[in-house]
Amino acid sequence: MVVQASKNTAYEAKTQEIAKQLLAATQEKRSFFAQLQDQMRWDDKILDWAMSNPGLRVQLFRFIDCLPALRSKPEIARHLQEYLTVEEVELPDALKKLIGFSGGDSVPGQIAATTVSTAVETLAQKYISGENIKQALKTIERLRKDKMSFTMDLLGEAVITEAEAESYLERYLDLMTQLTDVAKKWSKVPQIDEADGETIPQVQVSVKLTAFYSQFDPIDAEGSEARVVDRIRTLLRHAQAVGAAVHFDMEQYHYKDLTLSILKRLLMEEEFRSRTDIGVTLQAYLRDSQKDLQGLIDWAKERGNPVTVRLVKGAYWDQETIKAIQKHWPQPVYNDKAATDVNFEQMTELLLENHEYLYGAIGSHNVRSQAHTIAIAQTLNIPRRRFEMQVLYGMGDKLAKALVQQGYRVRVYCPYGDLLPGMAYLIRRLLENTANSSFVRQSQEDRPIESLIGPPQPNGDKPIAIHNKALPNAAPDRDYADTKERQEAAAALASVRQQLGKIYLPLINGDRVNAPNTVNSINPSNPSEVIGKIGLMSVEQANQAIAAAKSALTQWRTTPAGDRANLLRKAGDLMEQRRHELSAWMVLEVGKPLRECDAEISEGIDFCRYYADEMERLAGGVNYDVAGETNRYHYQPRGITVVISPWNFPFAIPVGMTVASLVAGN
């Protein structure tokens, strides 16, 4: 999808006017850090260095990521030196002095460890509202004093066991109880607690669907939904009982369709259909996000009661891009930041123009994005209950205050929890703050106002090129987040199950021969299931097979290398055509998870294509010249190859070893 700037100019003049007002309010004290440059705290210096030096930023953030796992000051000091003394990093003078110690156990080393670890902890406190509920409550009370609402998020929701998933649910049930009990003592703040005669829940929590089930995976959509929905029902019932609102966050693209599908079905159930205190998130950096928003609008019309859509730009850009490149998949995110900004504005318009069906929560630290929201709301005279602005805790603070001063409802996303599980969140925030394309960073630079608040201008949106010289035609794995791929895989599995129990006899010189003995091939994940009966060769039959191979060698070794290579390519194409079937056999025969089976098929296909190309390259001989010599290497097949492959890669390893030998003329 190619994104172009919005053709709707009805909101533009008003957007520019409001953006100038907001920008002026956020930049009143812009020169504060510049005036105190020499007196900045170490946490401020870390951010300043990260913004000015990309190489240092990477190493700093790598160090910060591992810091909570380091148990002593000497360990911290050694890691600090190791990360920051790589050749590609140009260190500021202050940092050179700090890490210029001779050993982690030295006094200077311990001082460096204390200084940096304290600075990182302080840095984390900029973005994490508290390490425990007591600290988080102080943050909430401060926000409410400033006329800002909140949504509370527990850090470290990734779960790998069912015990953790159950604990996650219990922690949220307890959190809602604690927050709503305390809320009874709060004074009402009309700007955030009510609108258009309707009371708005004072307490809101944000949860992630994946944390309710340790095996949440689109590859098992039905199973994931069956395990998740009961826990969500428990959560929503408790929220209603104590008077809290619930918002469902969006995570990686891999989970998006399943998340939306589950929530749509659940919220159409009679028990929850009338609830308007529930929300879901959409990410504008996804190319198919407008389609998802339109789908929610159509769904909400049928439902008859609005839910809130939190519109954000997205926090997993690097991960989504790298994964797509690795897997040779279409990239789900816009590569051009301006294209995301345009899409965000178009989605804002679509969302607010349908405010009678969906409430809008516009999450952004970009002054223009929020000004655009206000321009639409003013133009359409949208009731205040139907939209609000949102910012992340520690980001866009001045913008949030400016929005409050103009009378708008602002909600702050407040993560809380221990630093170690919150480290991934902290790194995302640091990356966002220090990125060249970040509005937060750009607004601190000496840029013309017009460039900050003007309409975003996409500069094309070409996918990032995939550089793989060794495998230019690498076979991509299947993306099982795609419904079509899942359906084809399920159909193949059902088809293969109909073929179980057959007898597979030895193949000698092109003919099947009776075997003196058979052995059952058992599904190790279901030992009662016999995949097939395998005929075992006798020693005599094995000798016959070797003799047949020896007889065929004369003709095969003289077959042109190009013909042998093309045979491999044809085999690779057949594997691609039948990959779902091959994966299904592997799932049943060795009990291997489907996604890993599919990756193994890709590897087998790549072996066929790679060895075909290499054989053609080597077929005519290769020069290896050194001074005074002329050397020409010619390659000859060796004869007969026997492959004994391990059990854990039943396809890729035997395919790779076999086709490499065959294409070489063996």
Side-chain angles (χ1 to χ4, degrees), residues 203-385:
V203 172
Q204 185 188 101
V205 295
S206 287
V207 302
K208 294 176 174 61
L209 223 58
T210 58
F212 288 107
Y213 177 40
S214 62
Q215 307 303 311
F216 190 91
D217 193 329
I219 208 167
D220 179 25
E222 291 183 7
S224 296
E225 181 170 352
R227 297 300 296 270
V228 160
V229 291
D230 282 342
R231 288 171 179 164
I232 302 175
R233 290 188 186 105
T234 299
L235 183 86
L236 293 180
R237 287 164 186 159
H238 185 74
Q240 186 174 38
V242 299
V246 177
H247 193 96
F248 293 94
D249 282 334
M250 194 63 71
E251 300 176 87
Q252 291 86 349
Y253 183 73
H254 181 65
Y255 300 118
K256 174 180 67 70
D257 287 349
L258 181 56
T259 296
L260 290 174
S261 172
I262 290 173
L263 291 175
K264 282 180 179 179
R265 274 196 287 270
L266 181 68
L267 297 181
M268 287 293 273
E269 292 179 4
E270 195 61 35
E271 180 181 359
F272 307 111
R273 189 164 182 166
S274 62
R275 296 275 292 275
T276 60
D277 56 352
I278 299 170
V280 64
T281 302
L282 291 182
Q283 301 158 314
Y285 69 180
L286 296 177
R287 298 173 187 271
D288 55 5
S289 51
Q290 279 202 50
K291 174 178 68 68
D292 291 329
L293 177 55
Q294 186 59 59
L296 279 172
I297 292 169
D298 296 339
W299 167 82
K301 289 178 180 178
E302 181 183 355
R303 183 174 185 261
N305 294 290
V307 297
T308 297
V309 170
R310 176 192 292 153
L311 181 59
V312 300
K313 291 179 183 175
Y316 302 92
W317 186 90
D318 299 88
Q319 181 181 359
E320 300 290 9
T321 303
I322 292 168
K323 184 176 180 180
I325 291 174
Q326 288 177 337
K327 299 288 189 179
H328 295 258
W329 292 345
Q331 292 166 31
V333 293
Y334 292 112
N335 298 118
D336 180 32
K337 174 61 164 59
T340 292
D341 290 337
V342 169
N343 192 47
F344 187 87
E345 292 193 3
Q346 292 175 349
M347 291 181 71
T348 301
E349 293 176 15
L350 181 60
L351 178 58
L352 296 184
E353 288 169 357
N354 286 276
H355 59 82
E356 65 268 41
Y357 307 115
L358 293 173
Y359 295 154
I362 311 303
S364 177
H365 311 116
N366 185 316
V367 166
R368 176 181 167 86
S369 297
Q370 296 292 17
H372 181 240
T373 301
I374 297 172
I376 299 169
Q378 289 182 356
T379 302
L380 301 180
N381 196 26
I382 299 176
R384 289 297 175 93
R385 174 64 184 95

Side-chain angles (χ1 to χ4, degrees), residues 451-470:
S451 70
L452 286 173
I453 65 173
Q457 301 295 328
N459 184 26
D461 188 53
K462 296 179 181 178
I464 295 175
I466 299 171
H467 300 288
N468 190 336
K469 295 179 181 178

Side-chain angles (χ1 to χ4, degrees), residues 140-191:
I140 291 170
E141 289 165 2
R142 187 172 68 249
L143 290 172
R144 288 184 59 81
K145 186 177 180 181
D146 291 336
K147 299 181 180 178
M148 296 184 200
S149 189
F150 73 93
T151 184
M152 187 66 69
D153 166 65
L154 282 171
L155 287 169
E157 302 96 330
V159 299
I160 57 174
T161 68
E162 280 305 274
E164 289 177 323
E166 290 170 2
S167 173
Y168 174 80
L169 173 61
E170 291 300 324
R171 289 172 66 201
Y172 262 106
L173 297 177
D174 182 58
L175 176 62
M176 287 189 287
T177 299
Q178 290 189 63
L179 291 176
T180 51
D181 282 347
V182 174
K184 294 172 185 176
K185 303 174 185 177
W186 292 341
S187 300
K188 182 161 285 190
V189 182
Q191 188 168 329

Side-chain angles (χ1 to χ4, degrees), residues 72-74 76-77 101 103-117:
S72 67
K73 289 181 180 179
I76 294 172
F101 48 84
D105 295 314
S106 66
V107 173
Q110 301 223 9
I111 292 173
T114 301
T115 301
V116 173
S117 57

